[in-house]
Amino acid sequence: MTSADLTLDEKASLTSGATFWHLKAVERLGIPSVMVTDGPHGLRKQAEGGDHLGLGGSVPATCYPPAVGLGSSWDVELVERVGRALGVETSIENVAVLLGPGVNIKRSPLCGRNFEYLSEDPIVSGVLGAAFVKGVQSQGVGTSLKHFAANNQEHDRMRSSSDVDPRPLREIYLRGFQRVVEEAQPWTVMCSYNRINGVYTSEDPWLLTRVLRDEWGYEGVVVSDWGAVNDRLAGLPAGMDLEMPSSGGHHDRLIAEAVRGGTLDEKHLDLAADRVLDLIRKAQAGAGAVQGPLDIDGHHALAREAAGRSIVLLRNEGGLLPLRKDAKLAVLGAFAAQPRYQGAGSSLINPTRLDKALDEIRALATGEVAYAPGFSLAARTTAEEAGALREEGVAAARDAEVAVLFLGLPARLESEGYDRTDIDLPADQLALLDAVLAVNPNVVVVLSNGGVVALPFADRVPAVLEGWLLGQAGGGATADVLFGEVNPSAKLTETIPLRLADSPAYLDFGGDFSHVRYGEGLFVGYRWYDARRLQVAYPFGHGLSYTTFAYGDATAAVNADGDIEVRATVTNTGGRAGREVVQVYTSLGTSLVQRAPRELKAFASVALEAGESREVTLLVRRADLAYWDIRVDRWVVEGGGYTVEVAASSRDIRSTVEVELAGDTVALPLTRSSTLAETLAHPVAGPVMQGALAEMMGQVGDIASAFPEDADMDQLIGSLPIGRAPLLSGGSVSMEMIDGLIALANAGTPEQ
Ligand code: BGC
């Protein structure tokens, strides 16, 4: 069935939802209504008969670690496996599309939705996002890659314009989306609420058609974020196929009228209707692929495994961790009994069950485990109440061998829909920590937070676990890591700065009057901290283990496809099995364009038994080395000697090797604005110019007398545009000669 079988009104009807979560059916032709729901880290399917605003409760589903946690595993296989399990749950519930993953870049630690995003780096976001999509879609259901694009804050998100230059837009903000589209073809891509450089993404033909479809080869449906449509008649020809949720038929009528009135070419409607039909066909083909009932225990076990792989061991002085099971413990902090395990907003899952860290610690411990909340999670607490809670906590800590302190951000501080204003932990929690440290130095801090928090205490606390938001089994996973049942292997996919004021977007995050200038340009995340040589609390890529890893010397060679194959032997030099996330960064010292000191290009999560050595091969794709060249509006790989660093984190480089790479040619036409140096380097114009140079030099000699004898005259003269030569050559070079030279040179310049 194609759009040709449908009436104009039927075609228009397919371009928007029937309800909050359903697409329209065309009963006359037996086209069913299919359902889409959030996502991403679990299924948020509203119970049948629920309200139509999408606000009500949802059927129980496994709550896996949100992206902030799962991404920290850096493990493609694990992410794909979680994706498959999500696909199973989606299929059992007869839902066609799970609305995720979110691959937006964490531009600032303040973004309220950072918990739903994977990284500050586009390779991490793209590679893991693609794995997620492949996993979910392997079960005959679809995904929605969101939020396309440059949606990096919640403040003013429905109208704010992300004003981004072409290079950061391509190299940082779109690169991850491109990777997922090219590698995994998500069934749908969800355009974001915001504008990019003044244009709503929901009506941007450049973004939705030229880049997404013509350049990246996207074949699926573009769906609007819920309520993101600004001008439906502009959106349809731009490539925005499906509006969600329902517009109550209003926009369908507008579209049909516009076609009848001749102001909208019907071919745009046909295209959108055909894409939606194709989506429904895929949903029908996949429907029933998995039959219930859901294996609740099995999926909970996977959620626990994934959560254990999401916890980052930031610090472990003196090997305080793992804890002995018979140690006398004081578990402190309200989060131990009231877990903060996911973020607020559209991704809120109704979990099938919920582990509490306190119960799980008691289940594994053989010694005494005391508990005191130590602080309250309520928005308002009096000083007396806070003091009493603190005293109770300190008393428990005084009697214990080790105090395990659960600190974090109360749910109200981070959510979809608004951003944070600082990165500090609440003052009463910091006061509790100080008071506990005064009576017992053996403190383990376990953090629960969706966005990074400042860690002013990090030097004073022997052990810190970054527990992010870990999903429904996070409590068990935390106990597993504390007691060493699981050896931590996660690493940071975002930098933890010392101060918010150090962070790249600090000066213009949020923006003025609905315009946010991305003033830090390419220097997002570690790219910024490295370029500015700033100290950080913990760098991108950092994460410890209960074992240690040694790296041998790396080698790098260009293979037949032009990619760089990097090899390094990694050895588990400690006494227990573990996993190491091996990272590859590149740089090009001779680059003609601005670049970060190092950029992540490949990574691998490697499991090694105690004492085991393995040669790891990592592929740096040639395409990932390209920069976006604004002169020719395309990707260009520069040739030269690339520095390849094999590293345990962005600030723990273990082996460095150089590799020579042949670059792409960028043949630019010669113009009057071309410099003398560029002209001299031109294969045709160069020799001719060389001849004319001597005559010109007479005049230039006069200019040179005004400069120091040892001034770099080559650079000075080389930077003169040739169109100025007639003025500066004392009449020896005419503009006709210059134009003749330009014509001669360009006759041999190949097309771009
Ligand atoms: C969110 C999307 C979500 C949609 C449907 C929007 O507000 O931005 O991520 O998928 O709602 O709930």
Side-chain angles (χ1 to χ4, degrees), residues 83-153:
R84 279 201 294 276
L86 285 163
V88 164
E89 298 196 28
T90 307
S91 179
I92 289 176
E93 285 293 340
N94 206 15
V95 169
V97 174
L98 179 72
L99 300 175
V103 298
N104 295 85
I105 291 292
K106 303 193 202 212
R107 175 176 176 244
S108 162
L110 296 179
C111 174
R113 221 170 171 180
N114 273 358
F115 65 85
E116 239 182 288
Y117 299 138
L118 291 160
S119 180
E120 65 188 21
D121 180 88
I123 300 286
V124 177
S125 305
V127 170
L128 298 184
F132 182 99
V133 169
K134 284 183 205 164
V136 175
Q137 294 193 171
S138 70
Q139 303 304 306
V141 294
T143 53
S144 199
L145 182 66
K146 66 190 190 183
H147 306 92
F148 191 55
N151 175 197
N152 310 101
Q153 65 181 45

Side-chain angles (χ1 to χ4, degrees), residues 274-473:
D274 279 325
R275 290 179 189 140
V276 175
L277 284 172
D278 190 46
L279 173 68
I280 296 171
R281 218 180 345 263
K282 283 194 273 202
Q284 275 181 297
V290 189
Q291 299 295 326
L294 172 65
D295 173 9
I296 291 177
D297 292 343
H299 282 217
H300 186 77
L302 174 59
R304 183 165 177 155
E305 181 191 344
R309 302 282 305 283
S310 304
I311 299 171
V312 185
L313 177 62
L314 292 177
R315 177 176 166 87
N316 193 19
E317 287 304 297
L320 182 58
L321 290 176
L323 300 172
R324 286 191 344 266
K325 285 193 176 157
D326 62 357
K328 187 174 180 198
L329 300 179
V331 172
L332 308 174
F335 294 106
Q338 292 166 259
R340 172 102 205 286
Y341 62 101
Q342 62 176 336
S346 60
S347 68
L348 198 83
I349 309 306
N350 177 15
T352 57
R353 65 175 68 146
L354 182 57
D355 286 358
K356 294 180 181 144
L358 178 60
D359 298 344
E360 302 297 326
I361 289 170
R362 285 187 166 141
L364 287 185
T366 55
E368 193 186 316
V369 179
Y371 170 69
F375 55 84
S376 163
L377 289 175
R380 277 184 199 78
T381 325
T382 65
E384 289 71 35
E385 285 164 344
L389 285 166
R390 190 157 56 240
E391 280 318 306
E392 196 194 345
V394 170
R398 192 180 282 119
D399 288 345
E401 261 177 80
V402 181
V404 183
L405 196 42
F406 285 79
L407 307 179
L409 293 176
R412 66 179 172 281
L413 291 186
E414 48 183 356
S415 166
E416 176 180 343
Y418 56 90
D419 298 315
R420 286 189 290 167
T421 52
D422 62 54
I423 58 168
D424 300 330
L425 285 167
D428 56 344
Q429 296 188 28
L430 295 175
L432 172 70
L433 174 61
D434 283 342
V436 166
L437 279 170
V439 299
N440 188 341
N442 294 328
V443 171
V444 179
V445 166
V446 181
L447 295 163
S448 300
N449 50 302
V452 296
V453 291
L455 304 171
F457 50 81
D459 293 349
R460 293 181 289 127
V461 174
V464 182
L465 286 176
E466 175 51 91
W468 304 123
L469 306 177
L470 294 171
Q472 69 180 47

Side-chain angles (χ1 to χ4, degrees), residues 300-641:
H300 186 77
L302 174 59
R304 183 165 177 155
E305 181 191 344
R309 302 282 305 283
S310 304
I311 299 171
V312 185
L313 177 62
L314 292 177
R315 177 176 166 87
N316 193 19
E317 287 304 297
L320 182 58
L321 290 176
L323 300 172
R324 286 191 344 266
K325 285 193 176 157
D326 62 357
K328 187 174 180 198
L329 300 179
V331 172
L332 308 174
F335 294 106
Q338 292 166 259
R340 172 102 205 286
Y341 62 101
Q342 62 176 336
S346 60
S347 68
L348 198 83
I349 309 306
N350 177 15
T352 57
R353 65 175 68 146
L354 182 57
D355 286 358
K356 294 180 181 144
L358 178 60
D359 298 344
E360 302 297 326
I361 289 170
R362 285 187 166 141
L364 287 185
T366 55
E368 193 186 316
V369 179
Y371 170 69
F375 55 84
S376 163
L377 289 175
R380 277 184 199 78
T381 325
T382 65
E384 289 71 35
E385 285 164 344
L389 285 166
R390 190 157 56 240
E391 280 318 306
E392 196 194 345
V394 170
R398 192 180 282 119
D399 288 345
E401 261 177 80
V402 181
V404 183
L405 196 42
F406 285 79
L407 307 179
L409 293 176
R412 66 179 172 281
L413 291 186
E414 48 183 356
S415 166
E416 176 180 343
Y418 56 90
D419 298 315
R420 286 189 290 167
T421 52
D422 62 54
I423 58 168
D424 300 330
L425 285 167
D428 56 344
Q429 296 188 28
L430 295 175
L432 172 70
L433 174 61
D434 283 342
V436 166
L437 279 170
V439 299
N440 188 341
N442 294 328
V443 171
V444 179
V445 166
V446 181
L447 295 163
S448 300
N449 50 302
V452 296
V453 291
L455 304 171
F457 50 81
D459 293 349
R460 293 181 289 127
V461 174
V464 182
L465 286 176
E466 175 51 91
W468 304 123
L469 306 177
L470 294 171
Q472 69 180 47
T478 304
D480 290 340
V481 168
L482 284 170
F483 290 115
E485 298 283 309
V486 166
N487 188 354
S489 58
K491 295 198 180 191
L492 297 175
T493 62
E494 60 194 298
T495 310
I496 304 181
L498 284 171
R499 310 178 309 155
L500 175 64
D502 292 342
S503 66
Y506 178 67
L507 291 178
D508 54 16
F509 183 74
D512 289 334
F513 307 125
S514 300
H515 277 274
V516 196
R517 174 100 198 104
Y518 282 38
E520 71 285 4
L522 293 164
F523 297 92
V524 177
Y526 63 92
R527 290 167 164 82
W528 168 267
Y529 299 103
D530 286 353
R532 305 301 305 260
R533 300 199 170 93
L534 290 169
Q535 293 285 315
V536 298
Y538 291 101
F540 176 84
H542 169 77
L544 303 174
S545 162
Y546 296 150
T547 184
T548 45
F549 299 97
Y551 287 59
D553 289 341
T555 61
V558 179
N559 71 14
D561 298 328
D563 301 326
I564 303 176
E565 268 176 33
V566 183
R567 291 196 163 80
T569 299
V570 182
T571 306
N572 181 345
T573 48
R576 59 168 76 210
R579 302 185 76 97
E580 171 70 338
V581 177
V582 181
Q583 300 152 49
V584 174
Y585 297 85
T586 65
S587 58
L588 179 64
T590 57
S591 180
L592 291 175
V593 293
Q594 189 186 51
R595 289 189 191 240
R598 64 177 50 81
E599 295 181 280
L600 181 87
K601 296 299 173 194
F603 57 89
S605 167
V606 188
L608 292 169
E609 294 299 327
E612 188 185 349
S613 265
R614 175 129 27 100
E615 188 184 67
V616 184
T617 305
L618 301 108
L619 197 72
V620 174
R621 302 185 335 164
R622 182 179 170 85
D624 292 333
L625 293 170
Y627 72 93
W628 187 260
D629 192 314
I630 57 169
R631 299 169 304 173
V632 289
D633 217 17
R634 67 170 166 86
W635 293 109
V636 169
V637 176
E638 265 186 292

Side-chain angles (χ1 to χ4, degrees), residues 20-21 36-40 44 53-54 98-100 102 113 116-117 144 146-147 151 154 157-158 190-193 224-227 244-245 345-347 416-417:
F20 210 84
W21 303 117
V36 302
T37 75
D38 287 307
R44 190 168 74 97
L53 285 177
L98 179 72
L99 300 175
R113 221 170 171 180
E116 239 182 288
Y117 299 138
S144 199
K146 66 190 190 183
H147 306 92
N151 175 197
E154 292 299 285
R157 66 174 171 162
M158 305 284 280
M190 187 189 292
C191 73
S192 53
Y193 289 123
S224 74
D225 198 344
W226 268 232
M244 287 302 285
S346 60
S347 68
E416 176 180 343

